[in-house]
Amino acid sequence: MAIHNEPRIIRPGKYLNEALDNLEWKLNSADQFQIEVRKYIDDDFSVNEISPIIKPNLKFELFEENELDLTNFNIGVVYEESVLKESLVMYNENLHVLGSDEITVPFELEKILLWGPQASLFVAIFANKDLPEIDYQHGQIIAKKALGISNINENANFFDVQSATPKDFMDMGYPRNTSYIIEVDPNEISGPFERSGYAIKITISTDLQAIAEDKLFMNEVLMAAFEEVLLVGYEQFTYDELEDDSILKNITARLRAFAGDKDLKSQNIADWAKNREKNKIRSLLQHGLGLNKMFLRSLDNVS
Amino acid sequence: MSHKILSGANALKIIQNFHDNTGEDDITNLEKIVGTGPLYPEDEIKMFRDKIISEINLSKDKVTDREKQRVEFQSIKWMHELLSIDRDAFRDKGFWIWMTIKYFKEYVEWRHASKDNPARINNYGLRPTGSYDITENILYRAWIRLKIGLDETLEDPFKYNTLIETYDFWQSFIVRRDFASCENIARAFINARFVNNRTKEKQLYRTIGRNITALQSNLFFNCLSEQDAEAIIDKKIKQSEVA
């Protein structure tokens, strides 16, 4: 599900987004449940192995606290393929029948649904009829979560890579022998991931472009760039206040996935950055082999 | 089924050389095959290309913007007649880029180049960085219009697709919009524009289109029936008319 950031028209009386806070999901029965909304797969992972399982872990108590009758609400799971522009209801059940069950892809849909980075799952709790007494209309969403799959190596358009001559650098106020500069706009990186590209601007000296594909040099630039993103980003924002689809959260989740340490949480990385624990950040970024792939295509286009 | 793809970076290089007239790149060294089994039939693509090119040649002396639109919109029909649908290929952005670069460069240029400038990179479905920007791709956008706009209940199932001067409606409010994935709401929106002619005015369908996009955050479109979807659009039109 892409981001919908246009002004809201309906103003819900009560919006219980926390009701789905504990939702967990996994790609298939062999995978581990995770709470993060984005799953990262690598090139070796076959999308044919995907058959997602969702555990809503619904906070039923919130409905009682807010005096909402469970029977008036449904939980729906919609599969959406953004390139084919297809969507299909996978699951739609009244909340009062939902226990601690796991939601799986119905057998009859398994053959039709195509999984991969463009496919997403949208989970929502919505009014199953008009409820004028509390100002809800049929279909009105009170809690939602969008789950998506990304290829860990895909070029996510994080980088705007430019080149500059010594004179250009001087004009910008840098020493003439500058090799590269990294500029991060904290407001951009807190923005949505899909639509806003180029949150990170990297300017590389023209005479260094020849070695731009050199691994060591690239690693250096990359480590500096990601370190800058984390430090600048978490200086301004806490992990919790970031939108799930923000660039910063997305980068953090990717770095976590690259680290290959299942005990490491995105929150840990955010904490390190906030406390400016650069040693820990650098040791995390040293797993940066995969980062190269992500970056390579941006460099391809240096002109 | 398997199909061919082309990376954005390679596509950019080919377009650049094509624009600079520095000789044709050999795409066979750059294209990649994904999937297993028989390849997507290239002879169908060639027939589709030839149909478009012959139409372009016919209109040589009267290349107005209307004429360009006409050919693009008619191509939706030929696409339906000539191309097999392979969901695995069609959901792969690299496939659309490959098909466009290998067979339709002249068509993209004819449709989008101006007197002084060649077609822009995004008309090919690419961003200047080499990432895919598929909603702008000349073939993909035709296919989405075909997929969503085809109406078999009509005597001419392509009626609403082939109307001239509807580029903005289809492109801005169907091809680029996420809500178009939900059949009921897309159908109701299209009907309001073409069947009932209630949102014929550009300003009105733009307002309604933006409203639906905003509504999508708050309303679970997929649970709605056709009647519900019609009712929502109807309500939005009435609200706009009052305003």
Side-chain angles (χ1 to χ4, degrees), chain A residues 66-78:
Chain A
N66 288 280
E67 294 171 358
L68 296 173
D69 185 351
L70 283 182
T71 55
N72 289 335
F73 296 92
N74 274 29
I75 180 166
V77 180
V78 168

Side-chain angles (χ1 to χ4, degrees), chain A residues 2 4 6-7 9 78 81 83-87 112 114-115 118 126 139-141 144 157 198 297 301, chain B residues 12 87 91 129-131 140 143 147 174-175 177-178 181 211 213-214 216-220 222-223 228:
Chain A
H4 309 292
E6 296 198 23
I9 290 179
V78 168
E81 223 293 346
V83 178
L84 295 174
K85 287 216 193 294
E86 292 176 351
S87 69
I112 320 170
L114 298 170
W115 297 102
Q118 291 131 210
F126 61 95
Q140 189 162 339
I141 294 170
K144 61 181 172 183
N157 254 3
Y198 317 142
R297 284 181 47 194
N301 301 304
Chain B
L12 275 185
R87 287 166 80 235
R91 72 165 177 153
T129 50
S131 58
Y140 173 79
W143 182 64
K147 181 172 172 152
I174 297 291
V175 179
R177 297 283 164 156
D178 297 320
S181 301
N211 279 344
T213 303
Q216 194 176 8
S217 308
N218 287 306
L219 217 53
F220 198 63
N222 288 82
C223 75
D228 291 340

Side-chain angles (χ1 to χ4, degrees), chain A residues 102-278:
Chain A
E102 292 177 357
I103 298 173
T104 56
V105 183
F107 178 72
E108 69 272 18
L109 297 182
E110 260 181 29
K111 289 273 174 287
I112 320 170
L113 305 185
L114 298 170
W115 297 102
Q118 291 131 210
S120 58
L121 287 169
F122 182 65
V123 185
I125 296 175
F126 61 95
N128 55 25
K129 57 182 175 201
D130 284 334
L131 302 168
E133 64 283 7
I134 48 171
D135 221 9
Y136 283 8
Q137 73 182 73
H138 178 211
Q140 189 162 339
I141 294 170
I142 60 163
K144 61 181 172 183
K145 213 151 204 184
L147 311 174
I149 301 161
S150 289
N151 186 313
I152 202 159
N153 297 318
E154 83 189 346
N155 173 17
N157 254 3
F158 293 138
F159 305 103
D160 175 17
V161 185
Q162 303 282 340
S163 62
T165 62
K167 186 178 173 303
D168 295 334
F169 278 123
M170 280 173 72
D171 290 344
M172 290 185 269
Y174 292 94
R176 61 175 295 122
N177 57 355
T178 299
S179 46
Y180 62 88
I181 50 173
I182 292 160
E183 293 162 272
V184 178
D185 179 344
N187 293 319
E188 278 287 313
I189 57 175
S190 66
F193 160 60
E194 308 280 357
R195 293 196 179 164
S196 141
Y198 317 142
I200 303 154
K201 187 176 173 192
I202 301 178
T203 313
I204 300 179
S205 171
T206 40
D207 58 318
L208 286 173
Q209 269 178 44
I211 63 161
E213 289 200 18
D214 176 86
K215 256 189 184 166
L216 278 177
F217 176 70
M218 268 180 56
N219 263 337
E220 184 191 318
V221 177
L222 274 176
M223 285 182 60
F226 282 108
E227 186 181 308
E228 187 72 9
V229 168
L230 294 175
L231 292 177
V232 169
Y234 289 112
E235 189 179 2
Q236 297 247 350
F237 302 97
T238 63
Y239 183 75
D240 286 336
E241 71 192 16
L242 290 167
E243 296 286 333
D244 279 339
D245 272 310
S246 67
I247 294 180
L248 183 54
K249 217 166 187 173
N250 202 286
I251 286 182
T252 313
R254 277 169 195 251
L255 294 174
R256 186 194 76 89
F258 277 127
D261 172 0
K262 64 177 170 24
D263 294 328
L264 182 71
K265 302 261 180 301
S266 294
Q267 177 74 56
N268 299 135
I269 298 173
D271 291 342
W272 296 343
K274 194 153 221 73
N275 302 328
R276 303 191 79 80
E277 295 181 79
K278 291 189 187 174

